[in-house]
């Protein structure tokens, strides 16, 4: 499993590295929320999620996409509420 959260800071172009990492996968699984996401530094017209999705399609990988329901009530851990003590 590849996860952008574990990518390190790099001096090379992030779009190329991201595409390279998608190329290592057998399947693309995306969990899509309600924010567009961070723009790719060297390709600011798209977010990392959009770049990954497109790269997976270009490579012919199966793409599984899960879209969050905008009406869903999602319980968040206390850490997401500043000033509140965790239980």
């Amino acid at each position: 499993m590849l996860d952008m959260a574990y990518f390190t800071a790099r001096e090379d172009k992030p779009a190329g590295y991201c595409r390279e990492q998608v190329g290592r996968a057998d399947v693309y699984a995306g969990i899509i929320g309600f924010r567009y996401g961070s723009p790719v530094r060297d390709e600011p017209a798209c977010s990392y999620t959009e770049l990954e999705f497109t790269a997976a399609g270009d490579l012919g990988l199966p793409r599984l996409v899960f879209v969050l329901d905008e009406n869903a009530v999602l319980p968040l851990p206390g850490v997401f509420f500043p000033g509140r003590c965790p239980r």
Side-chain angles (χ1 to χ4, degrees):
M1 179 168 138
L2 302 172
D3 185 336
M4 288 279 303
Y6 300 107
F7 285 11
T8 59
R10 315 184 64 75
E11 290 189 24
D12 58 352
K13 297 186 178 203
Y17 183 74
C18 188
R19 285 186 184 97
E20 179 184 312
Q21 295 306 304
V22 170
R24 294 179 51 209
D26 296 320
V27 65
Y28 170 84
I31 301 172
I32 310 300
F34 306 110
R35 295 184 182 164
Y36 180 68
S38 302
V40 180
R41 186 180 66 214
D42 55 326
E43 292 187 26
C46 67
S47 70
Y48 283 97
T49 303
E50 183 179 359
L51 183 128
E52 292 167 353
F53 178 83
T54 302
D58 291 346
L59 293 167
L61 295 176
R63 295 183 288 183
L64 305 173
V65 178
F66 302 89
V67 181
L68 295 178
D69 180 344
E70 65 185 64
N71 296 314
V73 177
L74 304 174
L76 295 174
V79 70
F80 291 105
F81 300 99
R84 287 184 53 190
C85 295
R87 295 177 194 202

